[in-house]
Amino acid sequence: MRLRNSRSLDVRSVHVIVTGGSSGIGLATARLLADRGAVVSLIARGPERLAEAAKDLSAAARVADVSDQAALTRAIGELEEEQGRPCDVLVTSAGLARPGHFLELPDDVFRQMMEVDYFGTLYAIRAVAPGMVERGHGSVVAVSSAAGLIGIFGYSAYGPAKFAVRGLMESVRAELTPHGVHVGVVFPPDVDTPQLAEENQWKPAETRAVGGTIKPLTAEKVASAIVDGIDRGRFVICPDAGTRALARFGSILLPFLNREFDRKVRAVRRQ
């Protein structure tokens, strides 16, 4: 594994910590890196699923809520001690999505999205970045969302948190790159994961209509894009053509997309 702006790292000795590593994108990324010989550590909230994932990957694991800074920082420190080396690569995949109509969502949902999706990312990076800077190499990759590239009906709580992740990583990239640390941010669309199944229970009809009939990506496809992004030292990591177009031409496409989204919303409400 080679990290741009840093010395080359031998993947067989790289210590990777993945938050949200017990399922979905996090687990798929951890598995891909473990298959390539990396030393893998997992963090997640659910102890049963985490234990199963850790056993499957022969990984170290700690239970922690990423929105709890003290618990998350402690978990990362314990994993570094257990593995006998600091974190070389951090992938922050832990997150929640709770769609719903803006006027109907409780205030605490907006707060929870920021605490888990944004602060959960921030806290993890704050725990490992000083060491990476001191050593002059490393990689931090945060999972944002296509909803972090464009506002979408029904995602008034989730979208801003993922926009915040994007803004954080843009600023962090500017500051850490001169120190030899790779920074990346991932913009997946819908991905076939347990999180999406939970999310679908809350999606308004308008949100489903805006999303159309696009088939969700597999977690493995997103994981492959993440690992390739780390290998190539990419900042913007898009696992499909749609998000690549949004990332590159979003400001130009926005008026046309908004008109199309509004048309689909009106069609739902006429039914």
Side-chain angles (χ1 to χ4, degrees):
M1 177 178 293
R2 184 175 181 81
L3 303 179
R4 187 177 300 170
N5 299 319
S6 75
R7 69 171 183 264
S8 179
L9 293 180
D10 184 348
V11 68
R12 292 169 297 179
S13 65
V14 167
H15 179 202
V16 181
I17 296 180
V18 182
T19 70
S22 65
S23 66
I25 295 170
L27 178 57
T29 304
R31 178 174 289 116
L32 184 55
L33 288 166
D35 288 346
R36 290 178 55 174
V39 174
V40 173
S41 297
L42 308 176
I43 296 173
R45 289 188 307 167
E48 293 182 4
R49 196 157 56 181
L50 178 61
E52 183 178 343
K55 182 179 179 181
D56 180 44
L57 301 183
S58 298
R62 290 294 186 279
V63 174
D65 183 338
V66 296
S67 67
D68 182 336
Q69 185 175 16
L72 179 59
T73 302
R74 182 169 56 251
I76 290 172
E78 290 175 355
L79 290 168
E80 290 179 320
E81 183 175 354
E82 180 176 340
Q83 299 286 27
R85 64 169 301 143
C87 176
D88 299 299
V89 177
L90 172 71
V91 179
T92 64
S93 183
L96 287 177
R98 171 66 159 83
H101 292 97
F102 173 72
L103 297 180
E104 298 172 3
L105 283 169
D107 288 346
D108 61 358
V109 169
F110 291 86
R111 187 174 298 108
Q112 184 185 39
M113 295 299 99
M114 290 299 295
E115 288 176 348
V116 174
D117 295 334
Y118 173 70
F119 283 105
T121 298
L122 172 67
Y123 295 153
I125 295 172
R126 295 273 288 179
V128 304
M132 290 183 179
V133 168
E134 183 178 351
R135 295 186 299 274
H137 67 83
S139 176
V140 291
V141 177
V143 177
S144 180
S145 169
L149 291 169
I150 184 172
I152 300 172
F153 189 109
Y155 286 115
S156 57
Y158 174 71
K162 290 301 189 177
F163 265 90
V165 170
R166 172 187 172 184
L168 171 68
M169 300 312 284
E170 289 181 357
S171 296
V172 168
R173 186 211 64 78
E175 295 198 32
L176 297 190
T177 295
H179 296 283
V181 179
H182 162 249
V183 175
V185 59
V186 191
F187 298 103
D190 280 350
V191 183
D192 186 11
T193 65
Q195 171 59 49
L196 180 62
E198 167 67 20
E199 179 185 337
N200 282 339
Q201 299 180 42
W202 302 96
K203 275 185 181 177
E206 297 93 337
T207 306
R208 295 180 185 276
V210 167
T213 58
I214 299 174
K215 184 178 180 181
L217 299 183
T218 65
E220 290 72 22
K221 182 174 178 62
V222 180
S224 179
I226 290 172
V227 174
D228 183 64
I230 295 171
D231 282 341
R232 297 174 181 270
R234 287 176 176 153
F235 173 65
V236 174
I237 301 172
C238 296
D240 71 329
T243 50
R244 280 195 295 274
L246 277 178
R248 186 172 298 179
F249 305 113
S251 60
I252 298 172
L253 295 173
L254 186 59
F256 305 98
L257 290 172
N258 280 340
R259 281 200 292 271
E260 179 61 13
F261 294 161
D262 291 347
R263 183 190 66 78
K264 290 183 177 182
V265 168
R266 288 194 300 269
V268 170
R269 295 188 170 183
R270 285 197 296 266
Q271 295 176 0

Short mmCIF file of all heavy atoms in Angstrom, two decimals, residues 9 24 26 31 40 84 88 95 99 123 132 147 160-161 172 175 239 251:
data_model
loop_
_atom_site.label_atom_id
_atom_site.label_comp_id
_atom_site.label_asym_id
_atom_site.label_seq_id
_atom_site.Cartn_x
_atom_site.Cartn_y
_atom_site.Cartn_z
N LEU A 9 4.32 2.40 2.62
CA LEU A 9 3.99 1.53 3.73
C LEU A 9 3.77 0.12 3.21
O LEU A 9 3.06 -0.09 2.23
CB LEU A 9 2.72 2.01 4.44
CG LEU A 9 2.78 3.35 5.17
CD1 LEU A 9 1.43 3.66 5.79
CD2 LEU A 9 3.85 3.33 6.24
N GLY A 24 -21.59 -3.79 7.03
CA GLY A 24 -21.66 -2.83 5.94
C GLY A 24 -20.32 -2.45 5.34
O GLY A 24 -19.43 -3.28 5.17
N GLY A 26 -17.89 -0.64 6.52
CA GLY A 26 -16.75 -0.80 7.41
C GLY A 26 -16.21 -2.22 7.43
O GLY A 26 -15.01 -2.44 7.31
N ARG A 31 -12.33 -6.30 5.77
CA ARG A 31 -12.06 -7.63 5.21
C ARG A 31 -11.10 -7.54 4.02
O ARG A 31 -10.17 -8.35 3.90
CB ARG A 31 -13.37 -8.29 4.79
CG ARG A 31 -13.18 -9.68 4.15
CD ARG A 31 -14.49 -10.38 3.87
NE ARG A 31 -15.12 -10.81 5.10
CZ ARG A 31 -16.28 -10.36 5.55
NH1 ARG A 31 -16.94 -9.43 4.89
NH2 ARG A 31 -16.79 -10.83 6.68
N VAL A 40 -5.71 -5.56 11.39
CA VAL A 40 -6.99 -4.87 11.42
C VAL A 40 -7.56 -4.81 12.83
O VAL A 40 -7.52 -5.81 13.57
CB VAL A 40 -8.00 -5.55 10.48
CG1 VAL A 40 -9.38 -4.94 10.62
CG2 VAL A 40 -7.53 -5.45 9.03
N GLY A 84 0.27 -3.52 19.27
CA GLY A 84 1.70 -3.25 19.39
C GLY A 84 2.21 -2.24 18.39
O GLY A 84 3.42 -2.14 18.16
N ASP A 88 -2.01 3.29 11.51
CA ASP A 88 -1.45 3.81 10.26
C ASP A 88 -2.55 4.29 9.32
O ASP A 88 -2.35 5.24 8.55
CB ASP A 88 -0.65 2.71 9.55
CG ASP A 88 0.53 2.23 10.38
OD1 ASP A 88 1.40 3.05 10.68
OD2 ASP A 88 0.55 1.03 10.72
N GLY A 95 -21.91 5.35 11.28
CA GLY A 95 -22.85 6.42 10.97
C GLY A 95 -24.28 5.97 11.11
O GLY A 95 -24.58 4.78 11.18
N PRO A 99 -34.04 9.35 7.82
CA PRO A 99 -34.80 10.25 6.97
C PRO A 99 -36.17 10.56 7.56
O PRO A 99 -36.63 9.90 8.50
CB PRO A 99 -34.93 9.47 5.66
CG PRO A 99 -34.84 8.04 6.07
CD PRO A 99 -33.94 8.00 7.27
N TYR A 123 -13.95 12.93 16.29
CA TYR A 123 -13.27 12.39 17.46
C TYR A 123 -12.23 11.33 17.09
O TYR A 123 -11.13 11.28 17.67
CB TYR A 123 -14.28 11.79 18.44
CG TYR A 123 -15.25 12.77 19.04
CD1 TYR A 123 -16.52 12.35 19.46
CD2 TYR A 123 -14.94 14.12 19.20
CE1 TYR A 123 -17.42 13.24 20.02
CE2 TYR A 123 -15.84 15.02 19.75
CZ TYR A 123 -17.09 14.56 20.17
OH TYR A 123 -17.99 15.44 20.72
N MET A 132 0.16 10.46 13.55
CA MET A 132 0.49 10.37 12.13
C MET A 132 1.38 11.53 11.70
O MET A 132 2.34 11.35 10.95
CB MET A 132 -0.79 10.34 11.29
CG MET A 132 -1.59 9.06 11.43
SD MET A 132 -3.05 9.09 10.34
CE MET A 132 -3.76 7.47 10.69
N ALA A 147 -25.48 12.23 -0.16
CA ALA A 147 -26.27 13.27 0.48
C ALA A 147 -25.39 14.36 1.10
O ALA A 147 -25.90 15.35 1.62
CB ALA A 147 -27.17 12.67 1.56
N PRO A 160 -27.05 17.40 6.30
CA PRO A 160 -26.14 18.39 6.86
C PRO A 160 -24.98 17.78 7.64
O PRO A 160 -23.87 18.32 7.63
CB PRO A 160 -27.05 19.22 7.78
CG PRO A 160 -28.39 19.12 7.14
CD PRO A 160 -28.47 17.71 6.62
N ALA A 161 -25.22 16.66 8.32
CA ALA A 161 -24.13 16.01 9.04
C ALA A 161 -23.08 15.49 8.08
O ALA A 161 -21.87 15.58 8.34
CB ALA A 161 -24.68 14.86 9.90
N VAL A 172 -9.14 19.43 6.88
CA VAL A 172 -8.11 18.56 7.43
C VAL A 172 -7.08 18.18 6.35
O VAL A 172 -5.88 18.11 6.61
CB VAL A 172 -8.76 17.29 8.04
CG1 VAL A 172 -7.71 16.24 8.35
CG2 VAL A 172 -9.53 17.66 9.30
N GLU A 175 -4.46 20.76 6.00
CA GLU A 175 -3.53 20.86 7.12
C GLU A 175 -2.62 19.64 7.28
O GLU A 175 -1.48 19.77 7.72
CB GLU A 175 -4.29 21.11 8.42
CG GLU A 175 -5.01 22.45 8.44
CD GLU A 175 -5.39 22.89 9.84
OE1 GLU A 175 -4.64 22.55 10.78
OE2 GLU A 175 -6.41 23.58 9.98
N PRO A 239 -17.48 5.82 -5.54
CA PRO A 239 -17.52 4.43 -6.00
C PRO A 239 -18.37 4.18 -7.24
O PRO A 239 -18.45 3.04 -7.70
CB PRO A 239 -18.11 3.69 -4.79
CG PRO A 239 -18.94 4.71 -4.11
CD PRO A 239 -18.28 6.03 -4.34
N SER A 251 -22.35 21.79 -8.80
CA SER A 251 -22.85 23.17 -8.84
C SER A 251 -23.50 23.49 -10.17
O SER A 251 -24.45 24.29 -10.23
CB SER A 251 -21.72 24.15 -8.55
OG SER A 251 -20.68 24.02 -9.51
#
